[in-house]
Amino acid sequence: MASFEDFPMIEVKKMNETEVRLFSLLFNLLREPKGISFQKFRNIMPRFYKNEDIESDRKKLYRDLNQLKSLGFNIKVAQYGYQSEDFFPYYIEKESIDRSLKFSKEELEYLSKVLFSSELSKELISLSQKLFSHHLDLIPNLTKQIVPIDSEENSVDTTNTEKILQAIKDKRAITIVYGYDEKERTIEPYRLIRKNTTDFYVLAYDRGKKSLRRFILPRITVKKETKEEFFSNLKISKEDLNFHPLSLKVHPETEINFTIHTDYEDRWKSFLEGTEYEKIENKYKVITTNQNALFQFFVILPEALVECSAEWKTSFAKYVNEWENLYQLVR
C-alpha cells in the first residue's frame, strides 16, 4: 500500500487569466446540463466573451472548448433545425463523467482482509459478493463459500407502507420506531405526501410531541397496529402540505420584490414553485416567512439577480460575507 510520503506536496499557485476563464467555462457547462449557446456565454461571462469583435469572441470560445476537450471533457454541440450557429447550445455529454469505482488488485486484496476480519453477517456477505463478483480469487481462503440468501430477503419489504396506508384509511393510530431512534412513538397518520418525484412523507399527529409532524416513509418501522381511533381531530391545511423552505415560519410574513434576468426566469419560477408569488410586468413579488431560503438560489446563480430591495440586498451581502469568513477560517 502506498503511504502519504509517496505523494509529493503540490505547490499552490495563483491561477492565470486563461485558467480562470477555463474554470468558469467548465463550471457553467456543468451547471447547465441542457447546454449554453455562444450568445448566452457572452451574457453570463462578459468578462471573457463580450468584446466588440464578435468573431474574435467566437474563436476564443472555440479554442477554450477544444482545450477542455483535450482535458477529457466530452463537449458536444446540439443541432436544432435551422437556428443560427450562435444559438446552438454547447453541453457536456453525461457519459463523459465516469462515476464508477475502480479498484487495483492491491486495493481489493486489502479490502478483502478488512471485510473478513470482522464477524460475518448477511450484509457483509452481500457487500463482498458485489465487490468481488469478478475477482473471487482475491477473497482470503476459507471465505469463498457463497452463502445463499433467501429470495424473500431480496424482495422489497412493503409491509410497513401497507400498514401505514391501512391506518390512514381506517383512521387508526399506529406505534412506530423512526430511523435509528429505538424509542417507540404513537402516531395518527393523516396523509401520504410525495415531495419531488421520489421522496414520500407521512403527515401524522405525534401523540408524544402533541403536534403535527412529517415522517420520511422509508425510515418508519411499524411496531404495532392499534385499534385506537384518532385522539386529534385536525384539518389539514395547504401550509401543512407545503414543503417549500420559503414557507417555513422563521419570521413574520414579508413581501420582497425582485427583477430577474430573462435568461434565468425558468429556473427562478421552478425554484418558487409551491410558494406564493406574483409577477407584475417584469418584477416578481415574493411573499415569504423565511427570506433566508432565497439566498441559496442567488449564491448559485448571482447573475440572475437584476434588481431587488436595498434591505434584502444588505441581508444577502451579510450572508455571503459570513460564509466567506468561515471559508477563510478552514482554508
Side-chain angles (χ1 to χ4, degrees):
M1 292 294 294
S3 65
F4 178 78
E5 288 77 12
D6 294 328
F7 299 94
M9 294 296 292
I10 299 174
E11 184 181 355
V12 179
K13 296 181 179 179
K14 184 177 180 180
M15 288 194 296
N16 58 39
E17 184 74 1
T18 301
E19 291 169 332
V20 171
R21 188 174 70 250
L22 289 175
F23 268 107
S24 301
L25 183 63
L26 175 61
F27 290 150
N28 278 296
L29 284 168
L30 291 172
R31 192 169 61 186
E32 294 286 352
K34 292 183 179 180
I36 306 176
S37 68
F38 168 62
Q39 292 289 0
K40 191 170 182 179
F41 270 125
R42 298 194 81 210
N43 290 332
I44 64 177
M45 298 177 63
R47 172 182 168 186
F48 306 113
Y49 305 112
K50 199 70 171 180
N51 297 315
E52 293 182 2
D53 187 351
I54 191 171
E55 288 301 322
S56 174
D57 282 342
R58 185 181 286 108
K59 291 177 182 178
K60 185 196 295 184
L61 179 62
Y62 287 166
R63 288 197 302 270
D64 291 343
L65 291 171
N66 285 326
Q67 180 69 24
L68 290 177
K69 284 184 180 180
S70 69
L71 295 173
F73 295 97
N74 194 3
I75 298 171
K76 300 288 186 180
V77 181
Q79 302 288 332
Y80 293 109
Y82 297 99
Q83 286 180 299
S84 165
E85 179 190 17
D86 292 347
F87 297 94
F88 285 169
Y90 298 94
Y91 66 97
I92 295 182
E93 199 167 56
K94 292 182 179 179
E95 287 72 19
S96 66
I97 303 175
D98 188 359
R99 297 181 180 275
S100 61
L101 289 174
K102 292 182 174 61
F103 298 98
S104 66
K105 180 180 179 181
E106 291 77 15
E107 288 171 332
L108 284 169
E109 287 177 338
Y110 182 78
L111 276 173
S112 68
K113 292 176 183 178
V114 173
L115 286 171
F116 289 94
S117 64
S118 57
E119 184 178 352
L120 288 179
S121 65
K122 291 180 180 179
E123 291 79 14
L124 187 59
I125 292 169
S126 176
L127 172 63
S128 302
Q129 288 174 337
K130 291 180 175 70
L131 282 173
F132 302 103
S133 58
H134 302 292
H135 304 278
L136 294 177
D137 57 308
L138 299 180
I139 299 179
N141 291 332
L142 305 179
T143 61
K144 295 180 182 180
Q145 63 272 20
I146 303 299
V147 179
I149 300 177
D150 296 338
S151 58
E152 293 182 358
E153 295 184 7
N154 283 331
S155 61
V156 178
D157 184 8
T158 60
T159 55
N160 283 310
T161 304
E162 292 170 359
K163 291 175 182 178
I164 292 167
L165 291 174
Q166 191 63 48
I168 294 173
K169 179 182 177 181
D170 297 340
K171 293 189 176 181
R172 302 285 183 180
I174 54 176
T175 301
I176 68 167
V177 292
Y178 188 59
Y180 296 106
D181 187 1
E182 297 180 358
K183 183 180 178 182
E184 293 186 355
R185 305 162 71 167
T186 301
I187 64 171
E188 300 172 4
Y190 274 86
R191 193 172 298 185
L192 189 67
I193 306 169
R194 184 174 73 175
K195 178 187 177 185
N196 301 325
T197 56
T198 57
D199 300 330
F200 284 87
Y201 291 76
V202 176
L203 186 65
Y205 178 79
D206 188 324
R207 289 182 177 177
K209 304 289 186 181
K210 295 182 179 179
S211 63
L212 201 63
R213 296 297 177 103
R214 295 163 178 164
F215 300 88
I216 301 173
L217 181 61
R219 297 183 64 189
I220 300 175
T221 302
V222 178
K223 303 298 289 186
K224 182 182 178 181
E225 296 175 271
T226 72
K227 296 182 179 181
E228 299 175 0
E229 295 182 355
F230 287 4
F231 290 171
S232 61
N233 185 22
L234 304 177
K235 290 185 178 179
I236 306 303
S237 66
K238 289 184 179 180
E239 291 182 358
D240 296 324
L241 301 176
N242 193 342
F243 284 75
H244 202 290
L246 287 172
S247 300
L248 294 176
K249 293 184 178 180
V250 178
H251 54 69
E253 190 172 85
T254 184
E255 176 186 311
I256 310 171
N257 293 304
F258 295 94
T259 302
I260 303 299
H261 195 289
T262 53
D263 288 342
Y264 300 94
E265 281 196 276
D266 288 342
R267 296 187 67 171
W268 172 245
K269 290 177 182 177
S270 177
F271 172 75
L272 293 179
E273 186 176 355
T275 190
E276 188 177 353
Y277 76 93
E278 181 181 355
K279 184 179 181 183
I280 304 172
E281 294 180 351
N282 64 335
K283 293 184 181 294
Y284 288 83
K285 180 173 71 175
V286 179
I287 300 173
T288 177
T289 52
N290 181 25
Q291 67 167 348
N292 288 7
L294 291 158
F295 295 159
Q296 179 185 4
F297 180 86
F298 293 110
V299 165
I300 297 173
L301 294 170
E303 57 270 29
L305 182 61
V306 176
E307 186 180 350
C308 65
S309 67
E311 183 180 355
W312 188 87
K313 187 180 292 185
T314 300
S315 299
F316 180 52
K318 182 180 178 182
Y319 172 83
V320 173
N321 288 334
E322 286 175 353
W323 275 102
E324 185 178 6
N325 292 335
L326 287 173
Y327 175 76
Q328 296 292 338
L329 289 174
V330 299
R331 191 167 60 175

